[in-house]
Amino acid sequence: MKITISTEQLEELDACEKAIIEFKEYFHKDEVTLNWTPRLQLAIVKSPLRKYIRWAVENKIIPLWSMSGANLSGANLSGANLSRANLSRANLYGANLSGADLSGAYLSRANLSRADLSRANLSRADLYGADLYGAYLSGADYKDAFMSGEQRKLFEEVNCD
């Protein structure tokens, strides 16, 4: 799917100044035409532009492809906005998801072992069957997340008041 994105378009959609600056720095131009594929989406998710994925989807700049089964092992996804993203069965082993917005995300059967989920927003996320072995869960918001009782105990042990 071919898409064209320009700084002018971002300004018209009231993108924040920081997002426009980061767009220019990443692409080294004011306008780009991209072949938006699941592979390119994964590259953007791993880039500094990851913070703006949900905004770009909501403003109909890009579609959000399923990332079910994607290999994001060890990726720096800190601060990523992956709200409502399909990451079921994704390999997120050792990924840095600190401060990420994963609200409403589908993480069922995802490998989150050794992942840093500190301060991540997991409210309403589906975590059934996700592997949380050795995951860093401090400060994560797991309110209304869908998970097993065993998984909930892991969060509660780390985040007890």
Side-chain angles (χ1 to χ4, degrees):
M1 160 184 246
K2 294 272 188 206
I3 59 169
T4 299
I5 306 171
S6 68
T7 54
E8 183 179 317
Q9 175 189 22
L10 297 176
E11 288 167 356
E12 287 172 6
L13 292 168
D14 291 325
C16 68
E17 186 177 333
K18 185 176 180 185
I20 294 169
I21 291 167
E22 289 187 33
F23 172 86
K24 285 183 192 180
E25 287 175 356
Y26 187 80
F27 291 108
H28 305 290
K29 11 174 132 171
D30 288 325
E31 181 175 299
V32 293
T33 299
L34 305 168
N35 185 19
W36 190 253
T37 63
R39 179 181 237 171
L40 179 58
Q41 176 178 288
L42 286 177
I44 298 295
V45 164
K46 294 177 185 178
S47 82
L49 297 177
R50 64 185 168 267
K51 299 174 282 203
Y52 311 110
I53 293 281
R54 176 54 51 195
W55 181 89
V57 170
E58 289 173 355
N59 282 280
K60 298 180 179 15
I61 296 171
I62 58 170
L64 184 63
W65 303 114
S66 171
M67 291 178 276
S68 179
N71 183 4
L72 293 163
S73 176
N76 179 4
L77 305 175
S78 62
N81 190 338
L82 297 169
S83 172
R84 299 186 302 278
N86 183 354
L87 291 157
S88 63
R89 298 184 322 275
N91 181 5
L92 293 153
Y93 176 89
N96 180 357
L97 290 153
S98 62
D101 185 354
L102 295 161
S103 59
Y106 298 98
L107 292 157
S108 60
R109 298 180 307 214
N111 180 0
L112 291 162
S113 57
R114 306 242 183 253
D116 182 353
L117 291 161
S118 60
R119 299 176 327 280
N121 181 357
L122 293 160
S123 61
R124 299 176 322 283
D126 180 352
L127 289 160
Y128 277 111
D131 182 354
L132 294 166
Y133 176 79
Y136 187 64
L137 307 171
S138 181
D141 177 2
Y142 57 98
K143 181 182 173 193
D144 299 325
F146 302 98
M147 62 179 90
S148 70
E150 188 175 308
Q151 288 171 315
R152 190 165 299 281
K153 281 182 189 175
L154 287 173
F155 281 92
E156 289 171 353
E157 286 172 8
V158 173
N159 294 296
C160 63
D161 295 326

